[in-house]
Amino acid sequence: GLPAYTPTLEENLFEPLSAATIKSMREGDGGELSGSPSKMQAVHSSSTLGVNIFQYWQSINQPEKIAEACRFCNQPTAISQSIRFEAKYPIDDRFRMGPNIDVVIENDPSAKHKVYAIECKFTEAYGGRGHGGIKEKYLGLDLWKDIPHLHKLAILTSPNDIEYQYLHAAQLTKHILGLKRAYGKTGFRLLYLWYDALGYAGGIHREEIERFIEIAKADGIYIHSISYQELIFWMSANFREDHQEYVDYISNRYL
């Protein structure tokens, strides 16, 4: 639990931030690059972990490879075109802030799923403090009309969530609302990408993820989960020959 920060941001990254990534991070609401040291200099930063996993595939112009690894598709396809960080998806114009989704793989406009969205969690899931529920102002929106199971969950966990100890269900639900407003209920896919942990906390977290996914799927929402360990093991088995430096870095650091 002690603060642990690298002396420079570059020492916490597989490769330096691209100009596009810097722009996205600065425009996001998380303040990831502000302060000294910045949040992204923390060795436990979920944003840095996300960048270390995903930016490489944007820099070599192969977003379809990481889309395959994340199980959005069974094999690489030409529909995945770019990767963006801290993408904003407002839920309602009356609200000052909207969800910031950690990573978005943007697809061809003609594709059924316009984006593959990824919510990334590292150690923060295990803080043990619980999470707040959705605020009451969200509960009367028209966006709930065809997702009654998620609406029921939102009501049950508002304003305080006592159903989920480690999963931030309200945050995931707001991501779904923002994406639904932008692309319709079936125009996106959502991945919960999380870092697994041994013991009680990891087991409860996994059970909470599965429970939430079942609720969302009952409303016809395309959502699935993968642990970082599963993702990295898969890439190590399938990508190491052509991307050895990258695979070695993420394997040695995060496994």
Side-chain angles (χ1 to χ4, degrees):
L2 294 175
Y5 293 81
T6 53
T8 66
L9 176 57
E10 286 68 27
E11 290 174 84
N12 210 20
L13 297 168
F14 170 64
E15 60 184 18
L17 297 182
S18 69
T21 301
I22 291 173
K23 183 175 184 294
S24 296
M25 291 296 177
R26 286 179 174 166
E27 290 176 349
D29 296 318
E32 298 294 341
L33 294 177
S34 61
S36 182
S38 68
K39 292 181 181 179
M40 288 192 69
Q41 285 173 246
V43 295
H44 54 271
S45 165
S46 61
S47 291
T48 299
L49 172 53
V51 167
N52 280 335
I53 294 293
F54 288 95
Q55 182 183 253
Y56 170 75
W57 301 101
Q58 177 67 14
S59 68
I60 64 171
N61 196 30
Q62 293 185 16
E64 70 280 1
K65 292 283 191 179
I66 192 64
E68 177 194 14
C70 287
R71 302 179 193 166
F72 285 117
C73 46
N74 293 326
Q75 58 186 9
T77 67
I79 67 167
S80 296
Q81 298 183 333
S82 62
I83 298 173
R84 188 156 53 104
F85 297 92
E86 296 295 319
K88 295 183 179 183
Y89 288 96
I91 294 172
D92 192 289
D93 294 336
R94 295 171 294 177
F95 303 156
R96 185 175 65 88
M97 295 176 63
N100 286 217
I101 298 180
D102 295 315
V103 183
V104 170
I105 300 173
E106 298 174 317
N107 295 329
D108 186 280
S110 64
K112 176 182 177 181
H113 301 119
K114 310 305 179 187
V115 297
Y116 299 143
I118 303 107
E119 173 62 20
C120 303
K121 291 296 180 193
F122 198 5
T123 60
E124 71 271 29
Y126 305 105
R129 297 184 297 273
H131 304 286
I134 288 183
K135 294 180 180 179
E136 186 177 353
K137 67 180 182 179
Y138 291 95
L139 299 180
L141 299 175
D142 290 340
L143 282 169
W144 298 107
K145 284 184 178 179
D146 54 351
I147 48 172
H149 296 86
L150 284 167
H151 192 204
K152 181 179 179 180
L153 176 65
I155 294 171
L156 180 65
T157 57
S158 175
N160 299 308
D161 184 0
I162 60 173
E163 297 291 315
Y164 294 88
Q165 183 176 357
Y166 298 104
L167 180 73
H168 198 339
Q171 183 185 52
L172 275 178
T173 303
K174 287 193 286 187
H175 286 349
I176 289 170
L177 291 176
L179 290 163
K180 182 175 181 287
R181 185 190 185 203
Y183 305 111
K185 190 167 75 169
T186 60
F188 66 92
R189 288 194 63 172
L190 178 60
L191 166 65
Y192 185 72
L193 181 59
W194 58 291
Y195 201 85
D196 203 355
L198 296 175
Y200 173 84
I204 296 299
H205 189 197
R206 181 180 289 274
E207 184 275 328
E208 290 176 347
I209 294 167
E210 293 171 353
R211 179 153 43 100
F212 181 88
I213 287 175
E214 288 304 309
I215 293 171
K217 284 185 175 180
D219 284 334
I221 299 296
Y222 293 94
I223 179 172
H224 66 292
S225 74
I226 305 175
S227 72
Y228 273 109
Q229 290 93 328
E230 292 172 302
L231 176 66
I232 294 170
F233 277 132
W234 191 94
M235 290 197 290
S236 180
N238 292 275
F239 292 162
R240 183 178 295 278
E241 182 176 351
D242 295 328
H243 308 276
Q244 183 173 349
E245 184 180 3
Y246 162 80
V247 171
D248 284 348
Y249 178 90
I250 61 172
S251 298
N252 291 336
R253 177 163 183 184
Y254 296 116
L255 292 181

